[in-house]
Amino acid sequence: EHYFIQSNLRMFLKALAVSSSLFGTVLFTQYHALAKENQTNHPARIFPTALWDDNWDMMKPDMTTLSNLTDEEKEARIPKAVRNIYLIRHGQYEIEETEAEKRVLTPLGREQAEKTGQRLHDLLGDSVSHVYISTYVRAMETGHIILKHLKEDVPVDYSELAREGAPIPPEPEAESWNPEPWMFHRDGARIEAAFRHFIHRAHPEQAEDSHEVLVCHGNVIRYFVCRALQNDPAGWLRYGAANGSITHLAIRPSGNVSLKGFGEKGHLPPEMVTYN
């Protein structure tokens, strides 16, 4: 009797395993068939996904026009270098001041900038090819401190496009930050213009990979990251970048973009980490 029960139990478990395997195989097959169908039919995907736009910066070579060119002519029109862009948030500043000229770095903010400059030197040495700095006082002070740690002859440009602002109404809404609608209307177009100006694949004439530094602001950096990764820009406020932090975007010749690091602050001791 005991043997009979064990035998029946083994047969039952074996049947259960086979039926589970068959059910799993059917489910797996149906899932992938549906996923494949949804890859071409955009509505009703199982998971909300988006296809990558490989001409997001309007700089993808037109292969139809290149087909009639010589190899040398093609080489002159196809991007070949990687642009590494380091987005630096300024140091802590006098946030209680209402006049822009008085919103200068605090003593801690200056220390943060020194640490960030040293970190960039340790990471990149003399390979920084260009530095861009927002024209807000706190960004210029941060940028000038950072420049002391880089090679003396690095080209420097200042940008009003990269000033702080309200890029787009965030989703979800902020709990303690509610700009007027006209502020998004005013700042959004400028910050989008800044994105298009700074974030793009290398021009064909750029032969070597570049390392470019942009010293700017938290909202600008967060918006840039969303746009570069082709994520919903309204999600920009879900990110948080500390003062003096480093965000690294790599843009390949194909137009593919990688976020190598966001808001990195490991070069700052814990007691020096701030977000204002």
Side-chain angles (χ1 to χ4, degrees):
E1 182 180 351
H2 180 68
Y3 173 80
F4 178 76
I5 293 174
Q6 280 190 330
S7 178
N8 283 349
L9 180 61
R10 282 196 298 268
M11 292 176 62
F12 171 76
L13 291 176
K14 184 176 181 181
L16 181 63
V18 170
S19 61
S20 298
S21 176
L22 289 173
F23 177 74
T25 301
V26 170
L27 197 62
F28 182 83
T29 303
Q30 288 181 337
Y31 168 81
H32 279 276
L34 187 57
K36 185 176 181 180
E37 177 185 349
N38 286 333
Q39 190 67 19
T40 53
N41 302 323
H42 289 212
R45 285 196 174 104
I46 296 177
F47 302 109
T49 59
L51 300 179
W52 179 260
D53 176 9
D54 60 359
N55 196 26
W56 57 274
D57 56 356
M58 304 303 292
M59 292 179 61
K60 178 183 177 181
D62 185 351
M63 302 310 294
T64 58
T65 61
L66 293 179
S67 60
N68 296 323
L69 301 178
T70 65
D71 290 343
E72 185 176 349
E73 290 172 329
K74 290 178 183 178
E75 182 74 12
R77 299 192 184 190
I78 296 177
K80 57 190 71 68
V82 176
R83 293 186 69 218
N84 293 281
I85 303 173
Y86 301 84
L87 305 170
I88 313 300
R89 191 185 176 201
H90 56 75
Q92 185 192 60
Y93 67 103
E94 299 290 353
I95 196 170
E96 300 302 326
E97 295 289 344
T98 56
E99 298 180 31
E101 292 72 19
K102 294 183 179 180
R103 306 189 96 177
V104 298
L105 294 183
T106 64
L108 175 57
R110 300 186 69 83
E111 290 184 58
Q112 291 168 337
E114 292 281 3
K115 296 278 189 186
T116 301
Q118 184 59 53
R119 177 59 175 163
L120 287 173
H121 175 78
D122 294 343
L123 283 173
L124 305 174
D126 292 335
S127 65
V128 175
S129 48
H130 212 119
V131 174
Y132 305 93
I133 303 174
S134 157
T135 54
Y136 269 165
V137 173
R138 57 188 183 271
M140 289 196 293
E141 288 183 317
T142 302
H144 294 160
I145 292 172
I146 288 174
L147 284 171
K148 296 189 303 181
H149 297 270
L150 306 179
K151 61 182 180 181
E152 293 184 3
D153 60 344
V154 61
V156 181
D157 283 306
Y158 297 88
S159 172
E160 292 192 356
L161 288 177
R163 291 164 74 131
E164 185 64 302
I168 187 175
E171 178 60 41
E173 294 182 0
E175 297 178 358
S176 58
W177 180 75
N178 296 291
E180 296 293 332
W182 64 264
M183 297 178 68
F184 291 112
H185 180 73
R186 177 196 64 189
D187 297 342
R190 172 179 56 79
I191 296 174
E192 172 63 20
F195 171 80
R196 298 187 187 196
H197 178 74
F198 289 109
I199 311 299
H200 55 79
R201 77 192 76 189
H203 290 281
E205 59 267 24
Q206 180 177 327
E208 303 292 335
D209 294 350
S210 61
H211 297 273
E212 306 165 47
V213 173
L214 172 58
V215 183
C216 55
H217 308 271
N219 294 357
V220 174
I221 291 169
R222 294 182 283 186
Y223 180 79
F224 277 16
V225 167
C226 286
R227 286 283 285 108
L229 299 181
Q230 298 187 21
N231 294 335
D232 184 355
W236 64 270
L237 198 55
R238 302 171 199 172
Y239 297 87
N243 298 112
S245 61
I246 302 172
T247 295
H248 177 190
L249 288 169
I251 308 175
R252 294 178 175 80
S254 64
N256 288 355
V257 180
S258 296
L259 180 63
K260 298 289 189 177
F262 179 85
E264 293 186 346
K265 57 184 185 297
H267 54 285
L268 300 174
E271 65 272 13
M272 289 181 62
V273 175
T274 60
Y275 288 86
N276 67 293

